Short mmCIF file of all heavy atoms in Angstrom, two decimals:
data_model
loop_
_atom_site.label_atom_id
_atom_site.label_comp_id
_atom_site.label_asym_id
_atom_site.label_seq_id
_atom_site.Cartn_x
_atom_site.Cartn_y
_atom_site.Cartn_z
N SER H 1 -121.54 -60.62 69.71
CA SER H 1 -120.72 -60.02 68.56
C SER H 1 -119.31 -60.62 68.59
O SER H 1 -118.60 -60.57 67.55
CB SER H 1 -120.71 -58.55 68.76
OG SER H 1 -120.13 -58.15 70.05
N LEU H 2 -118.90 -61.16 69.67
CA LEU H 2 -117.50 -61.73 69.80
C LEU H 2 -117.37 -62.98 68.97
O LEU H 2 -116.29 -63.45 68.64
CB LEU H 2 -117.15 -62.04 71.22
CG LEU H 2 -116.88 -60.73 72.10
CD1 LEU H 2 -116.58 -61.17 73.50
CD2 LEU H 2 -115.82 -59.94 71.52
N PHE H 3 -118.56 -63.67 68.54
CA PHE H 3 -118.46 -64.76 67.64
C PHE H 3 -118.02 -64.31 66.19
O PHE H 3 -117.68 -65.11 65.44
CB PHE H 3 -119.84 -65.40 67.52
CG PHE H 3 -120.09 -66.40 68.65
CD1 PHE H 3 -120.55 -66.00 69.89
CD2 PHE H 3 -119.87 -67.75 68.48
CE1 PHE H 3 -120.81 -66.81 70.94
CE2 PHE H 3 -120.15 -68.63 69.52
CZ PHE H 3 -120.61 -68.17 70.75
N LYS H 4 -118.05 -63.04 65.98
CA LYS H 4 -117.64 -62.46 64.71
C LYS H 4 -116.06 -62.19 64.68
O LYS H 4 -115.47 -62.23 63.58
CB LYS H 4 -118.31 -61.12 64.38
CG LYS H 4 -119.80 -61.23 64.09
CD LYS H 4 -120.36 -59.92 63.73
CE LYS H 4 -121.88 -60.06 63.43
NZ LYS H 4 -122.45 -58.68 63.03
N SER H 5 -115.56 -61.92 65.83
CA SER H 5 -114.11 -61.53 65.86
C SER H 5 -113.22 -62.59 66.59
O SER H 5 -112.02 -62.33 66.52
CB SER H 5 -114.02 -60.17 66.54
OG SER H 5 -114.63 -60.24 67.86
N HIS H 6 -113.74 -63.50 67.24
CA HIS H 6 -112.93 -64.54 68.07
C HIS H 6 -113.45 -65.93 67.77
O HIS H 6 -114.61 -66.16 67.50
CB HIS H 6 -113.09 -64.16 69.52
CG HIS H 6 -112.45 -62.82 69.91
ND1 HIS H 6 -113.09 -61.62 69.62
CD2 HIS H 6 -111.32 -62.48 70.54
CE1 HIS H 6 -112.36 -60.61 70.07
NE2 HIS H 6 -111.25 -61.12 70.65
N LYS H 7 -112.48 -66.75 68.02
CA LYS H 7 -112.92 -68.20 68.03
C LYS H 7 -113.34 -68.65 69.34
O LYS H 7 -112.51 -68.77 70.29
CB LYS H 7 -111.66 -69.01 67.52
CG LYS H 7 -111.99 -70.50 67.05
CD LYS H 7 -110.68 -71.02 66.51
CE LYS H 7 -110.96 -72.46 65.90
NZ LYS H 7 -109.76 -73.02 65.24
N ILE H 8 -114.64 -68.83 69.58
CA ILE H 8 -115.19 -69.17 70.85
C ILE H 8 -115.23 -70.63 71.10
O ILE H 8 -116.15 -71.37 70.58
CB ILE H 8 -116.60 -68.46 71.02
CG1 ILE H 8 -116.61 -67.04 70.54
CG2 ILE H 8 -117.13 -68.69 72.37
CD1 ILE H 8 -115.71 -66.14 71.42
N LEU H 9 -114.25 -71.25 71.80
CA LEU H 9 -114.13 -72.69 72.01
C LEU H 9 -113.77 -72.97 73.42
O LEU H 9 -113.01 -72.29 74.03
CB LEU H 9 -113.12 -73.25 71.11
CG LEU H 9 -113.58 -73.67 69.70
CD1 LEU H 9 -112.32 -74.11 68.83
CD2 LEU H 9 -114.56 -74.80 69.78
N SER H 10 -114.48 -73.99 73.95
CA SER H 10 -114.17 -74.44 75.29
C SER H 10 -113.62 -75.95 75.12
O SER H 10 -113.72 -76.68 76.05
CB SER H 10 -115.39 -74.58 76.16
OG SER H 10 -115.93 -73.26 76.36
N SER H 11 -113.11 -76.28 74.06
CA SER H 11 -112.60 -77.59 73.73
C SER H 11 -111.35 -77.53 72.83
O SER H 11 -111.20 -76.64 72.09
CB SER H 11 -113.68 -78.38 73.03
OG SER H 11 -113.11 -79.60 72.53
N GLU H 12 -110.41 -78.51 73.04
CA GLU H 12 -109.28 -78.53 72.18
C GLU H 12 -109.50 -79.32 70.92
O GLU H 12 -108.62 -79.51 70.06
CB GLU H 12 -108.03 -79.03 72.90
CG GLU H 12 -107.55 -78.08 74.05
CD GLU H 12 -106.31 -78.65 74.75
OE1 GLU H 12 -105.93 -79.76 74.48
OE2 GLU H 12 -105.84 -78.01 75.69
N ALA H 13 -110.70 -79.99 70.88
CA ALA H 13 -110.99 -80.82 69.68
C ALA H 13 -111.26 -79.99 68.49
O ALA H 13 -111.54 -78.78 68.49
CB ALA H 13 -112.33 -81.58 69.95
N SER H 14 -110.94 -80.54 67.28
CA SER H 14 -111.12 -79.84 65.98
C SER H 14 -112.60 -79.70 65.77
O SER H 14 -113.44 -80.57 66.10
CB SER H 14 -110.50 -80.56 64.95
OG SER H 14 -109.11 -80.69 65.12
N ALA H 15 -113.01 -78.64 65.10
CA ALA H 15 -114.43 -78.46 64.77
C ALA H 15 -114.85 -79.39 63.55
O ALA H 15 -114.13 -79.63 62.62
CB ALA H 15 -114.61 -77.06 64.23
N GLU H 16 -115.97 -80.11 63.84
CA GLU H 16 -116.52 -80.96 62.83
C GLU H 16 -117.19 -80.17 61.66
O GLU H 16 -117.34 -80.56 60.61
CB GLU H 16 -117.49 -81.89 63.39
CG GLU H 16 -116.91 -82.92 64.41
CD GLU H 16 -117.88 -83.96 64.85
OE1 GLU H 16 -119.12 -83.90 64.43
OE2 GLU H 16 -117.55 -84.83 65.63
N VAL H 17 -117.75 -79.05 62.15
CA VAL H 17 -118.37 -78.08 61.20
C VAL H 17 -118.30 -76.66 61.74
O VAL H 17 -118.15 -76.50 62.92
CB VAL H 17 -119.82 -78.45 61.00
CG1 VAL H 17 -120.59 -78.28 62.27
CG2 VAL H 17 -120.46 -77.74 59.84
N ILE H 18 -118.28 -75.69 60.82
CA ILE H 18 -118.29 -74.31 61.29
C ILE H 18 -119.59 -73.67 60.70
O ILE H 18 -119.71 -73.56 59.46
CB ILE H 18 -117.05 -73.52 60.72
CG1 ILE H 18 -115.75 -74.13 61.17
CG2 ILE H 18 -117.17 -72.07 61.17
CD1 ILE H 18 -114.50 -73.63 60.64
N PHE H 19 -120.49 -73.44 61.54
CA PHE H 19 -121.71 -72.74 61.18
C PHE H 19 -121.49 -71.30 61.06
O PHE H 19 -120.76 -70.70 61.91
CB PHE H 19 -122.89 -73.11 62.12
CG PHE H 19 -123.37 -74.41 62.08
CD1 PHE H 19 -123.53 -75.23 63.26
CD2 PHE H 19 -123.64 -75.02 60.91
CE1 PHE H 19 -123.98 -76.45 63.24
CE2 PHE H 19 -124.21 -76.34 60.80
CZ PHE H 19 -124.22 -77.07 62.11
N SER H 20 -122.06 -70.57 60.05
CA SER H 20 -121.86 -69.19 59.88
C SER H 20 -123.18 -68.41 59.70
O SER H 20 -124.17 -69.03 59.18
CB SER H 20 -120.91 -68.86 58.72
OG SER H 20 -121.48 -69.44 57.56
N SER H 21 -123.22 -67.27 60.10
CA SER H 21 -124.41 -66.41 60.00
C SER H 21 -124.50 -65.86 58.64
O SER H 21 -123.51 -65.71 57.83
CB SER H 21 -124.46 -65.30 61.06
OG SER H 21 -123.42 -64.37 60.87
N SER H 22 -125.70 -65.42 58.20
CA SER H 22 -125.87 -64.64 57.01
C SER H 22 -125.33 -63.25 57.23
O SER H 22 -125.28 -62.69 58.32
CB SER H 22 -127.29 -64.63 56.55
OG SER H 22 -128.15 -64.06 57.55
N GLY H 23 -124.96 -62.59 56.13
CA GLY H 23 -124.54 -61.10 56.23
C GLY H 23 -124.46 -60.54 54.84
O GLY H 23 -124.35 -61.17 53.84
N THR H 24 -124.57 -59.21 54.91
CA THR H 24 -124.52 -58.49 53.61
C THR H 24 -123.06 -58.47 53.13
O THR H 24 -122.13 -58.66 53.87
CB THR H 24 -125.09 -57.06 53.78
OG1 THR H 24 -124.36 -56.48 54.79
CG2 THR H 24 -126.56 -57.06 54.09
N THR H 25 -122.87 -58.12 51.87
CA THR H 25 -121.49 -58.09 51.32
C THR H 25 -120.72 -57.12 52.16
O THR H 25 -121.08 -55.94 52.36
CB THR H 25 -121.59 -57.57 49.91
OG1 THR H 25 -122.43 -58.58 49.09
CG2 THR H 25 -120.22 -57.67 49.22
N GLY H 26 -119.56 -57.58 52.49
CA GLY H 26 -118.61 -56.71 53.22
C GLY H 26 -118.71 -56.69 54.78
O GLY H 26 -117.86 -56.21 55.42
N THR H 27 -119.74 -57.31 55.28
CA THR H 27 -119.95 -57.45 56.66
C THR H 27 -119.38 -58.65 57.24
O THR H 27 -119.34 -59.76 56.55
CB THR H 27 -121.42 -57.35 57.10
OG1 THR H 27 -122.07 -58.48 56.56
CG2 THR H 27 -122.07 -56.04 56.58
N GLN H 28 -118.96 -58.64 58.51
CA GLN H 28 -118.28 -59.77 59.15
C GLN H 28 -119.41 -60.68 59.63
O GLN H 28 -120.39 -60.18 60.24
CB GLN H 28 -117.37 -59.32 60.22
CG GLN H 28 -116.40 -60.36 60.70
CD GLN H 28 -115.31 -59.74 61.66
OE1 GLN H 28 -115.53 -58.63 62.17
NE2 GLN H 28 -114.30 -60.43 61.90
N THR H 29 -119.30 -61.98 59.45
CA THR H 29 -120.29 -62.96 59.89
C THR H 29 -119.77 -63.64 61.12
O THR H 29 -118.57 -63.83 61.44
CB THR H 29 -120.59 -63.88 58.75
OG1 THR H 29 -119.42 -64.67 58.46
CG2 THR H 29 -121.05 -63.31 57.59
N SER H 30 -120.83 -64.13 61.93
CA SER H 30 -120.53 -64.98 63.06
C SER H 30 -120.12 -66.33 62.63
O SER H 30 -120.59 -66.87 61.72
CB SER H 30 -121.70 -64.96 63.98
OG SER H 30 -121.98 -63.81 64.63
#
């Protein structure tokens, strides 16, 4: 669930892509 509220990174490199989960309207996605 922390992937919904925090940026989980073990690298200082910039993200090449941000994958996101599906979610219903109004819900927070990973």
Side-chain angles (χ1 to χ4, degrees):
S1 59
L2 291 178
F3 279 82
K4 293 182 177 181
S5 55
H6 295 74
K7 196 172 183 177
I8 310 297
L9 271 174
S10 299
S11 170
E12 293 183 356
S14 299
E16 292 185 5
V17 67
I18 302 172
F19 290 129
S20 58
S21 63
S22 58
T24 56
T25 303
T27 61
Q28 200 170 10
T29 58
S30 291

